[in-house]
Structures are given as C-alpha cells and as structure tokens.
Amino acid sequence: MKKYSLYGLIRNSFNHQENWPRVWRSLQPKVEYDVIIVGAGGHGLATAYYLAKEHGVTNVAVLEKGYVGGGSVGRNTTIVRSNYLWDETSYLYEMSMKLWEGLSQELNFNLMFSQRGVLNLFHNEQEKRDTARRVNSNRLNGIDAELLNTEQVKKLVPILNTSPDARYPVLGASLQRRGGTARHDAVAWGFARAADARGVDIIQNCEVTGIRIEGGQVTGVDTTRGIIKARKVAVAVAADTSTLASMAGLRLPIDTHPLQALVSEPIKPVMHTVVMSNAVHAYVSQTDKGELIIGAGIDHYNGFGMRGSYSIIEGTMEAVVDVFPIFSRLRLLRHWAGSVDICPDASPIISKTHVKGLYFNCGWGTGGFKATPGSGWVYAYTIARDQPHPLNEPFSIERFTTGYLIDEHGAAAVAH
Ligand code: FAD
Ligand code: PYC
C-alpha cells in the first residue's frame, strides 16, 4: 500500500501553490476530446479520475461553469455512510464506502476521512420498527449496523436530551460504526489533482450552454468559451440537471430544491459521532476545528439559487436545541445553502440515454457526497464501455417507465 511521505503531508496541509493542478491556472480547452464531463463537482472529478486510472481514457475535459468545489461538493455536511434499505442502493453505497476507506492513500491527499460512527435516532414506535428493518437488511447485506436503545445512545452522546418528556423523546438509534465524515473540499481537490496528474483537462469558467447531436450521436457541446467537440458527453451537474437534459430533448423526473446548513462558533469537543434524525429535520457533527455543523431538511419549494428560506433553518434550530439543550447558548458562525436534484424515489440516475454517447449522472438529492468515489467509479465504467456496470444498472433512466423504483426516502435520513 502507498504510504504518506512526511513531505507530502506537509505539502498537502499547507496547500502550496505548486501543489495545485493546472486547474488553478487558466487552461484553454482543446478543440476536441474523447470525453467531456460537464460539472467539476465531486462526481464529475471522480469520474474523470477513474476514467483515466481504470480505463486509460485520458483525453478528457471536465468543464465547470464556476470554480472547482463551488457546488454542493463544497457545501455539504460531509456525512458518509452506507446504511440504505434496498439491496441495489446498499451495494452501491457500500462499494463507495470501501473506496473511501483507502482514498486518502490512493489520492495521496488527506481527505480527513473519519469513521467516527453515524447514529440515526428514532423517536416513536413506527420509526423504531422501520429502523430495525433497515438494520436487519444492512446486516443481511454484510454492512455493519447495530440497533441501540436509549441508554446505549446516551452513553455514546451524553449531551443528548434523553428525557422521556422531551418533545422528541429518543427511543434509540441505528449505529453504523464505519460511517463518519470527510473534509468535503479536500475531496474535490484530491480528485482534481489526481485526474490532472493523469492528463485530464479541468476547465473553469466554462459553462455548457448546448449539447450538439447529429444523427442520434453526440458530437460536442456549446460553451461560453466556444464549441468543443467530443464523441462522448457525460453530465454530472448535480443541480438543475433538467436544463442540461432539455438541451438534448430529454425530460427527467427531477425536482430541484434548496438544502441548507450552518456551523456554530467552535467549542471544545462535545460529540464524537454523527447524530442524524429524520423527525427532527437535523443532522449534527463536530468538525475538527470544534464547530458544530448542523444541516436541515430540504426547502419544500423548488429553487435553483444557493439560498433557502429562513423558516426552515429556524425550525431546525428549535428542534436541535430541544435534542441538544447545551447548544442553546451557541452563536451561529456561518449559514449557507446548496441546490439538489431529487428523483421521485430519492435514488440517483447513472445512465446511458437514447442519444448515443450521452450519459447522465444526477438525482443524488441530499445524499450524493458519500457516493462520490463509487458514483465516479461506476460512471467511468459506463462511459468507457458504453454499458452500465451491474452496480448501476438498476439506476437507469428506464426505471421510471418500467416502474422498478428504488424508494430510499426513509434511509435518505434527511427530511423531504
Ligand atoms: P456539485 O459540487 O454541485 O457539482 C456540480 C457542478 O456542475 C457544479 O460545480 C456546477 O457549477 C457545475 N455545473 C452546473 N451546470 C453546469 C453547466 N451548464 N456547465 C458547466 N458546469 C455546470 N450528501 C451526503 O452524502 N452527505 C451529506 O452530509 C450531505 N449534506 C449535504 C448538505 C447540504 C447543505 C447540501 C446542499 C448537500 C448535501 N449532500 C450531502 C448532498 C451532496 O452534497 C450532493 O449530492 C453532491 O455533492 C452532488 O454531487 P457533486 O459533488 O458532483 O455536485
Ligand atoms: O445522506 O447522510 C446523508 C446526509 C446527511 C446530511 C445530508 N445528507
């Protein structure tokens, strides 16, 4: 296994300029590529990296309308887990988890992946039955999962309000010990640097405004920096995918919503695992700097801006303070929103389309960060071979006509 060098670690942590890939200078796009990836978020960059590494496809451009890491990959609450309900989703996220477990070494970039455990609380009898079902399903699929009672949860997170009189009484939780967090922007930078080192061009400030198709075959894209030709175009824009789909005459069953989060001022360590609660509409962990990072449920109206409504955050704060009373004295440091595409079954699309050479990876909703390496790996396979890997075959666009939906609303663990 590749080992860190002390020099490499120091270089990574100080982010020296010479350590950055060509992406940080202004790269001019070539006239033609084998593959164009639209969107330099986590998924687009991971796809480029695995295309180069696993399939030897290096004449690749990743086109980004803004800057690397400016989308949801740099806005999420960094929770990584693989405790989904259905087999198809469990296999995909567990494969991603296995990639996470070796990713800092593989990319030689400290992703600060921390398997501190993820608790999913339940607050009533029905939630308890649903959680037990998911824990059993995980174990049958070889994924670590435990069902804890109130006392066991309290032992892990002493600051939790476990009074039976609480507004949201904690009856127990599922625990995935291998779950945890990672440094989100490092994931974008790590994949960007590794893809760049293998010859991929990452081009910022280059918005795709049209998809060129001739005789049912993709021939390239229109961009704000001119036409760029390619026989394969792979979309990974994560938000407002419908606009990209409409450029190719496709209609996707996707809704785009704001999703908000915030961090508190930093305090000494008070919680050592991630705590999520669907009912409370919140998920909380503590960063290495000491900030509490708290996320909300989705805003219910559609929205494409990187902003959400105050009432959502207000509701989340009210609930969080009920569950963690000591947080009531903390001050808010920063608050932001991202924009997420959601499919009707809360599962993603990783698929070929009716247009030859055109692929879509989207609909990750509130949960695509944890999928970043796995999604990139299977998407690269699909693009390179022009056929899905068995792991992403169930996630094709066709499922919305066959009716073979994979409903993961419960395990999404974020209020929808
Ligand atoms: P992005 O980083 O959004 O990448 C897409 C890129 O495409 C963007 O940079 C965008 O600028 C670019 N783009 C768009 N249109 C064009 C165009 N026309 N031309 C060129 N470029 C274009 N998931 C988890 O698993 N765990 C979590 O804890 C978690 N928490 C979240 C909290 C919040 C507040 C939010 C907003 C999301 C959260 N998510 C979480 C979801 C996760 O962040 C997303 O599912 C995932 O990051 C999406 O994939 P991406 O990284 O490729 O997206
Ligand atoms: O999917 O685990 C998740 C998640 C946590 C916060 C937002 N999404």
Side-chain angles (χ1 to χ4, degrees):
M1 193 196 292
K2 198 167 172 186
K3 295 259 187 314
Y4 287 125
S5 71
L6 187 58
Y7 174 63
L9 274 178
I10 293 168
R11 231 174 33 160
N12 280 345
S13 44
F14 286 98
N15 297 344
H16 278 179
Q17 185 81 38
E18 76 268 19
N19 201 29
W20 294 124
R22 288 172 292 150
V23 65
W24 303 109
R25 304 177 214 138
S26 63
L27 195 66
Q28 288 301 319
K30 289 195 269 185
V31 175
E32 186 160 3
Y33 289 92
D34 291 335
V35 180
I36 285 174
I37 295 171
V38 189
H43 292 239
L45 293 165
T47 305
Y49 169 71
Y50 289 115
L51 266 174
K53 181 190 169 229
E54 302 287 339
H55 306 281
V57 182
T58 56
N59 186 21
V60 176
V62 186
L63 308 182
E64 168 55 50
K65 74 173 174 186
Y67 60 95
V68 165
S72 284
V73 70
R75 293 166 183 269
N76 66 78
T77 48
T78 83
I79 299 171
V80 176
R81 58 189 176 85
S82 59
N83 54 357
Y84 281 76
L85 177 65
W86 298 106
D87 292 351
E88 294 85 347
T89 340
S90 301
Y91 299 155
L92 183 64
Y93 284 97
E94 178 58 16
M95 182 271 222
S96 195
M97 176 70 91
K98 294 215 165 78
L99 288 173
W100 276 109
E101 286 171 335
L103 206 55
S104 288
Q105 284 87 346
E106 177 169 347
L107 301 179
N108 192 25
F109 205 112
N110 188 359
L111 307 179
M112 296 169 78
F113 181 51
S114 161
Q115 290 177 295
R116 59 184 67 184
V118 174
L119 285 165
N120 292 93
L121 305 182
F122 52 82
H123 306 273
N124 60 48
E125 287 301 321
Q126 184 54 46
E127 272 198 309
K128 181 178 178 177
R129 282 188 283 271
D130 293 342
T131 307
R133 179 182 180 212
R134 185 169 47 75
V135 165
N136 288 336
S137 158
N138 290 159
R139 293 170 79 131
L140 287 168
N141 278 324
I143 296 170
D144 70 304
E146 294 164 48
L147 194 64
L148 306 189
N149 62 28
T150 312
E151 289 69 41
Q152 291 168 310
V153 175
K154 180 81 177 171
K155 211 167 159 196
L156 275 175
V157 192
I159 59 168
L160 257 181
N161 176 10
T162 50
S163 158
D165 300 325
R167 178 171 160 204
Y168 302 98
V170 176
L171 302 191
S174 68
L175 170 64
Q176 184 178 23
R177 291 186 193 269
R178 287 163 63 240
T181 55
R183 182 173 170 188
H184 47 13
D185 39 15
V187 175
W189 299 334
F191 273 121
R193 190 183 68 167
D196 173 82
R198 289 175 184 267
V200 169
D201 284 355
I202 300 166
I203 298 155
Q204 302 180 104
N205 298 316
C206 183
E207 179 172 358
V208 171
T209 52
I211 297 176
R212 297 191 156 236
I213 301 164
E214 281 169 31
Q217 160 76 52
V218 156
T219 58
V221 292
D222 296 306
T223 79
T224 45
R225 290 166 71 169
I227 298 169
I228 309 177
K229 292 188 202 163
R231 299 284 290 172
K232 292 185 176 180
V233 172
V235 176
V237 298
D240 198 14
T241 308
S242 303
T243 300
L244 269 293
S246 66
M247 293 175 193
L250 260 168
R251 282 189 69 212
L252 295 177
I254 275 185
D255 264 349
T256 307
H257 292 264
L259 181 63
Q260 305 184 64
L262 56 100
V263 288
S264 73
E265 61 188 327
I267 54 172
K268 287 193 172 163
V270 290
M271 54 188 300
H272 308 285
T273 56
V274 179
V275 178
M276 306 186 68
S277 166
N278 226 339
V280 171
H281 294 197
Y283 30 99
V284 185
S285 66
Q286 190 166 18
T287 69
D288 293 336
K289 280 193 283 187
E291 301 158 340
L292 291 159
I293 174 159
I294 300 173
I298 62 167
D299 280 44
H300 295 290
Y301 62 84
N302 296 128
F304 304 94
M306 299 295 187
R307 64 180 67 179
S309 67
Y310 178 68
S311 62
I312 296 285
I313 280 294
E314 193 184 17
T316 294
M317 297 305 282
E318 264 174 28
V320 162
V321 166
D322 188 72
V323 181
F324 298 98
I326 70 162
F327 292 177
S328 65
R329 308 299 294 270
L330 287 178
R331 277 168 297 189
L332 177 78
L333 197 61
R334 292 189 304 280
H335 156 250
W336 66 93
S339 181
V340 297
D341 278 350
I342 304 180
C343 287
D345 57 356
S347 283
I349 294 170
I350 318 165
S351 184
K352 292 176 62 172
T353 65
H354 70 284
V355 178
K356 193 149 174 42
L358 179 64
Y359 310 86
F360 272 83
N361 179 332
C362 55
W364 293 94
T366 60
F369 177 66
K370 68 179 86 63
T372 305
S375 159
W377 196 95
V378 295
Y379 202 30
Y381 181 105
T382 306
I383 298 161
R385 301 193 182 207
D386 195 35
Q387 70 178 62
H389 186 273
L391 281 170
N392 65 302
E393 204 163 7
F395 298 97
S396 80
I397 292 174
E398 268 79 58
R399 78 175 186 275
F400 300 103
T401 43
T402 60
Y404 197 131
L405 301 184
I406 306 163
D407 196 321
E408 287 289 3
H409 276 97
V414 174
H416 280 64

